[in-house]
Amino acid sequence: MRDHYQEQLDGLASGLADMCDQVAAALEMATQALLERGLQLAEQVISDDVKIDELRVGVEDGAFALLALQAPVATDLRIVVSAIHGATDIERMGDLALHVAQATRRRHPEPVLPEEVRPYFAEMGRVGVLLARKAGDVIRTRNLAAAAELETDDDAMDDLHRHMFTVLMDRNWQHGVAAAVDITLLARFYERYADHAVAVARRIVYVVTGRMPGPLAV
């Protein structure tokens, strides 16, 4: 019985890590679609979002089954509760990648991004994918040092997000209101994606230490 119980707990972590892999791939494809006006890539991100939703349901069902049938305590209870919250965070990351892809589809065949902001979004995409993959590694290893690294990586995303406002407020901006709105929303999607990745890492710190390190993304 104990072996089966441990397998169920391990299955929660595996499911969350798989979700991180999925949302990393989603943001990578969505960013490429955004930069290259890739309608086919955007459509793939949109259609694949259901797979992320299904993984979330699987994790949550497993967690609730453990709560109902095993009455976990101490570290095991923290694992189960964190899995429920973590699945929500990661599923939201998938939704944010979906929003990026939808922006590409909505504007196609026109580009969403003016040329001068493309390098910033390329970098935001790179940082976001890195954060998601690191979050998956933290789930698999429970490495607290790696979890702390996500905070530093998130600072880079925050800097890029703030810089977008500098670009948009420049008096030489010549691309109109619609482009400014698109860029504002897209930058926010990337910034929130990163926040949710950090929230996942913080939940692993809570599992290992029993203490929640700072406020979580919502």
Side-chain angles (χ1 to χ4, degrees), residues 22-53:
Q22 290 279 345
V23 300
L27 188 66
E28 190 168 43
M29 288 190 294
T31 302
Q32 185 179 349
L34 182 68
L35 296 171
E36 299 176 1
R37 289 183 275 177
L39 182 60
Q40 185 174 351
L41 270 179
E43 294 288 6
Q44 184 175 342
V45 174
I46 292 165
S47 63
D48 284 351
D49 184 63
V50 67
K51 298 177 183 177
I52 298 169
D53 296 340

Side-chain angles (χ1 to χ4, degrees), residues 30 48 56 69 83-84 118 134 156 164 166 171 177 179 187 206:
D48 284 351
R56 174 192 175 182
L69 301 176
I84 294 170
R118 284 166 50 85
K134 279 191 176 181
M164 283 298 99
T166 302
R171 62 183 179 182
V177 173
Y206 168 67

Side-chain angles (χ1 to χ4, degrees), residues 26-43 45 96-115 117-125 164 179 182-183 185-187 189-190:
L27 188 66
E28 190 168 43
M29 288 190 294
T31 302
Q32 185 179 349
L34 182 68
L35 296 171
E36 299 176 1
R37 289 183 275 177
L39 182 60
Q40 185 174 351
L41 270 179
E43 294 288 6
V45 174
L96 291 161
L98 171 69
H99 295 336
V100 174
Q102 288 172 330
T104 298
R105 182 173 68 177
R106 184 171 59 251
R107 295 296 184 194
H108 188 81
E110 297 301 317
V112 181
L113 303 175
E115 190 64 32
V117 302
R118 284 166 50 85
Y120 301 111
F121 279 92
E123 181 64 7
M124 282 192 282
M164 283 298 99
D182 281 342
I183 290 167
L185 288 173
L186 286 164
F189 295 154
Y190 282 93

Side-chain angles (χ1 to χ4, degrees), residues 85 88-89 92 154 191-200 202-203 214-218:
H85 289 292
T88 299
D89 281 311
R92 183 58 183 148
D154 183 49
E191 189 262 346
R192 294 304 296 152
Y193 182 102
D195 284 347
H196 284 289
V198 172
V200 172
R202 288 175 177 168
R203 295 190 194 283
L216 291 172
V218 294

Side-chain angles (χ1 to χ4, degrees), residues 87-164:
T88 299
D89 281 311
I90 303 168
E91 190 267 342
R92 183 58 183 148
M93 292 165 72
D95 287 342
L96 291 161
L98 171 69
H99 295 336
V100 174
Q102 288 172 330
T104 298
R105 182 173 68 177
R106 184 171 59 251
R107 295 296 184 194
H108 188 81
E110 297 301 317
V112 181
L113 303 175
E115 190 64 32
E116 61 260 44
V117 302
R118 284 166 50 85
Y120 301 111
F121 279 92
E123 181 64 7
M124 282 192 282
R126 187 194 68 80
V127 172
V129 171
L130 175 68
L131 281 161
R133 289 178 176 157
K134 279 191 176 181
D137 290 341
V138 167
I139 291 168
R140 293 182 177 100
T141 64
R142 299 190 190 177
N143 185 323
L144 299 187
E149 287 179 7
L150 271 79
E151 300 278 357
T152 301
D153 294 331
D154 183 49
D155 289 342
M157 182 70 84
D158 290 339
D159 289 344
L160 288 162
H161 181 237
R162 284 191 293 268
H163 184 70
M164 283 298 99

